[in-house]
Amino acid sequence: MAAKILVTAALPYANGPLHLGHLAGAYIPADVYVRYQRLKGSDILFICGSDEHGVPITIRADRENVSPKEIVDRYHDRMKESFRRIGLAFDNYSRTSLPLHHKIAQDFFLNLYNKGYIKEQSIQQYYCPTCRRFLPDRYIEGECPHCHRQGARGDQCEACGRWLEPEQLLSPQCKECGSTPEMRTTTHWYFRLSEFQQRLEDWQTSKTDWKSNVREFCSGWFKEGLTDRPITRDIDWGIPVPLPNADGKVLYVWFDAPIGYISSSVEWAQKQGAPDRWRDYWMNPETKLIHFIGKDNIVFHAIVWPATLMAHGDFILPSQIPANEFLNIEGDKISTSRNWAVWVDDYLEVFPPDPLRYWLESNAPESKDADFTWKDFQTSNNSELADVLGNLINRSLSFIEKNFEAKVPPSGTLRDPDRAILAEIGNATRRIGAAIEDFQVRAAVGALMDLARSGNKYFNDEAPWSSFKVDRARCATTLNTTVQLLAALAVLMEPFLPFSAEKLWRMLNAPGSHHDQRWNDVPELRLPDGHPLGKREILFSKIEDAIIEEQIAKLKK
RNA sequence: GGCGACGUAGCUCAGUCGGUUAGAGCGUGGGAUUCAUAACCCCAAGGUCGGUGGUUCGAUUCCACCCGUCGCUACCA
């Protein structure tokens, strides 16, 4: 019976293009998991979309003198295209500026409001009369009351490290325009998060299979004690608060973003022509809800979001939150403002998608931050993908082409080494599957390469170039066995290297699509004797030093 | 400042719920081989497991402190 699984990947914020950090933390691990589950035959839905509200987008729009709408349209389209080209297999990629999402988020808010989980409260907050908006803490600068240096932010002084309240700053200024802000009274709506502390703790206690980074992070928060959180803001870009006395108030972006998972699912169902089908997932206690995120997202997905789901009551809670650490680039942390990043668009101008996927999979920041270097990427492509996996494919297929008219040689009589390598396919299939189900992409892709290494060893040990001269039947058996290994690899590669998996399937001229194969049947997959092979091509080209030097130069520019 | 994470071979990282010779891939050296994208296979060298002290029969693994790197600290999604 097929399991029902609902997978989400963090909604990327639509104020900049996609970079490798995004892919490494959430999207590639999610994609590997989803592609694998599809081959397993699971009933799985993979949901994402752009997160398009919030203050940073309005500020970026002001700076560029365009509307927030123009900003989010630009980046929504770019990110969606980047995802497609790198092979992210979303069932639906939505966006939070859709009217559908606004309606669902407002209904969600009203549901909580009507149940008494939202309270109204007046607070004092800085307002910039020139920019005509209330200022988030980090957009106010001034003199630190402790060390008296300039440039301290409303939340913290970078110089002395002390944590501040905005009103403590001496001679505060609006970071954007430099004007002196004034204190004004404003009203906001607060989610009574504090009421959910016990339920959340009880719930998480049962989640013994969660990653330690998530559990530890949350236990720290529980120790501090959860407090009620404002979930509205005074800006005009966002989802209007659906109450009569709420002009100029919108929902806080962190409140509406995760609801985007639901509205993206609803949009998917509508596109399917089965508008209620999203309920099969979101309202079905048998469904496993899995949120793939980066470590910056842990608190929201493991505490605030489950609490809002509990408050609402109609939807299932997350069953897993595989949070990854961060990716550095050439030793330094990624910074959009310093332009220290490798952008997915730029990468794809020069290279095919799979080598990057492979690097990100075999170096996934699962337990600690990882470091991307172009040199390492080159090595990974050349000496692993090309030399181990690519060469196994190429050496065996070209041998068959030359000596067996590009047809699968007769299997003949199997001997121990042949049986051993075929058994190895079964072992690898199970190992890779178990690792993916345990969210260990590094180990999974490692097991895939181990199988290719075993194949190379087998090929070498059996030395068909020698047996061809003295025992042609034995040579045929070796090649036949190798072809069966390649067919298995074509399917096993799918979650990791989908573009190359497809190509390999075609090179083998195997029937139908590799997508139609079943993961658990891979060990029994056989191409018949005499089966004509397709056109051979190089799956993974080597990357020359000069190309890598160019990329490094571009980064340091 | 508070809380937390990390520091293991040249590089990127596993691992050790305390116990005989600490692992992988890549890189390096040597050997064998030649079908293939000058590669593949075998072997080897290389680590005081950040530092100091403690607990223990025994610590890389537990504890304390120190050094270093980083994250979070509630509006940089």
Side-chain angles (χ1 to χ4, degrees), chain A residues 383-503:
Chain A
S383 51
E384 294 184 38
L385 269 189
D387 290 350
V388 176
L389 184 55
N391 193 44
L392 171 67
I393 294 162
N394 191 57
R395 70 196 301 203
S396 49
L397 292 184
S398 71
F399 193 96
I400 295 173
E401 216 167 77
K402 277 184 195 158
N403 300 309
F404 292 91
E405 300 172 318
K407 289 178 184 158
V408 176
S411 54
T413 309
L414 297 189
R415 293 186 194 166
D416 282 349
D418 314 317
R419 283 190 284 268
I421 191 71
L422 291 173
E424 200 48 47
I425 296 173
N427 292 336
T429 303
R430 283 185 290 276
R431 262 207 304 276
I432 296 167
I436 294 176
E437 290 185 32
D438 204 23
F439 307 108
Q440 309 216 18
V441 177
R442 298 173 83 112
V445 78
L448 175 76
M449 291 306 285
D450 284 345
L451 180 61
R453 286 193 185 91
S454 302
N456 275 316
K457 178 167 163 50
Y458 165 79
F459 201 83
N460 235 60
D461 291 349
E462 298 310 306
W465 53 90
S466 301
S467 60
F468 186 73
K469 296 171 192 156
V470 297
D471 183 352
R472 201 159 290 202
R474 179 62 206 148
C475 178
T477 300
T478 301
L479 270 304
N480 181 289
T481 306
T482 307
V483 167
Q484 309 311 341
L485 172 60
L486 298 193
L489 280 172
V491 183
L492 298 180
M493 280 161 65
E494 216 292 311
F496 310 98
L497 307 162
F499 298 93
S500 306
E502 174 106 44
K503 276 191 195 167

Side-chain angles (χ1 to χ4, degrees), chain A residues 48-355:
Chain A
C48 196
S50 307
D51 178 10
E52 306 191 321
H53 299 132
V55 171
I57 283 171
T58 63
I59 286 178
R60 180 163 193 137
D62 286 354
R63 276 186 197 154
E64 296 186 19
N65 216 9
V66 298
S67 68
K69 173 83 175 131
E70 282 178 65
I71 299 285
V72 301
D73 281 351
R74 182 198 307 163
Y75 290 116
H76 170 78
D77 292 344
R78 270 187 81 174
M79 291 196 295
K80 190 174 179 181
E81 180 63 3
S82 298
F83 279 133
R84 187 189 65 75
R85 292 172 69 198
I86 202 73
L88 263 287
F90 300 127
D91 287 298
N92 194 48
Y93 189 80
S94 188
R95 54 193 305 188
T96 59
S97 59
L98 290 183
L100 173 71
H101 173 70
H102 281 221
K103 172 83 168 63
I104 289 171
Q106 287 177 330
D107 287 349
F108 203 112
F109 177 92
L110 282 175
N111 180 299
L112 268 52
Y113 183 83
N114 290 332
K115 286 177 177 159
Y117 290 126
I118 292 174
K119 65 179 178 189
E120 198 174 327
Q121 194 171 316
S122 289
I123 55 165
Q124 296 276 306
Q125 208 178 0
Y126 272 122
Y127 179 88
C128 173
T130 311
C131 297
R132 287 184 299 166
R133 69 171 152 235
F134 282 93
L135 296 173
D137 294 353
R138 296 186 188 205
Y139 286 101
I140 305 161
E141 286 185 345
E143 184 183 327
C144 173
H146 304 287
C147 71
H148 294 283
R149 268 176 283 208
Q150 293 297 324
R153 293 187 319 214
D155 57 343
Q156 188 181 34
C157 172
E158 293 284 345
C160 69
R162 287 181 204 253
W163 181 18
L164 307 174
E165 293 299 328
E167 56 272 20
Q168 293 178 285
L169 286 177
L170 308 173
S171 57
Q173 291 186 327
C174 168
K175 188 180 168 188
E176 285 302 303
C177 71
S179 323
T180 303
E182 51 197 57
M183 254 321 163
R184 288 199 186 178
T185 302
T186 180
T187 303
H188 282 298
W189 284 266
Y190 284 65
F191 174 57
R192 298 181 188 271
L193 180 64
S194 59
E195 291 185 17
F196 290 89
Q197 170 139 5
Q198 194 56 50
R199 281 176 69 185
L200 285 167
E201 286 196 62
D202 292 345
W203 171 66
Q204 284 197 13
T205 303
S206 68
K207 302 296 182 186
T208 51
D209 57 340
W210 282 17
K211 284 179 64 172
S212 63
N213 58 350
V214 178
R215 294 170 61 86
E216 281 164 13
F217 210 96
C218 291
S219 77
W221 276 61
F222 289 139
K223 232 182 291 172
E224 295 274 314
L226 303 181
T227 55
D228 298 340
R229 299 170 55 92
I231 54 170
T232 57
R233 292 292 184 271
D234 287 294
I235 54 175
D236 53 13
W237 176 245
I239 300 172
V241 173
L243 294 173
N245 54 340
D247 283 353
K249 312 282 184 183
V250 300
L251 299 182
Y252 173 37
V253 61
W254 272 111
F255 180 78
D256 90 68
I259 297 172
Y261 297 142
I262 298 175
S263 46
S264 183
S265 308
V266 173
E267 188 191 34
W268 165 82
Q270 291 179 351
K271 286 179 183 168
Q272 299 289 305
D276 283 334
R277 225 174 123 195
W278 64 277
R279 296 171 193 270
D280 295 348
Y281 297 89
W282 279 101
M283 297 182 169
N284 177 354
E286 299 301 311
T287 299
K288 280 172 65 180
L289 171 59
I290 305 176
H291 295 306
F292 283 86
I293 55 170
K295 67 176 170 185
D296 52 329
N297 273 324
I298 291 174
V299 169
F300 292 90
H301 283 80
I303 293 183
V304 184
W305 169 237
T308 57
L309 286 170
M310 286 173 179
H312 189 287
D314 288 353
F315 306 118
I316 55 173
L317 299 177
S319 62
Q320 259 293 2
I321 306 177
N324 279 314
E325 304 292 303
F326 280 161
L327 183 71
N328 294 326
I329 302 287
E330 304 280 354
D332 278 331
K333 67 182 202 175
I334 293 176
S335 162
T336 305
S337 54
R338 287 189 297 117
N339 196 29
W340 189 258
V342 175
W343 306 102
V344 177
D345 286 349
D346 291 351
Y347 168 89
L348 289 167
E349 291 298 310
V350 186
F351 305 102
D354 279 349

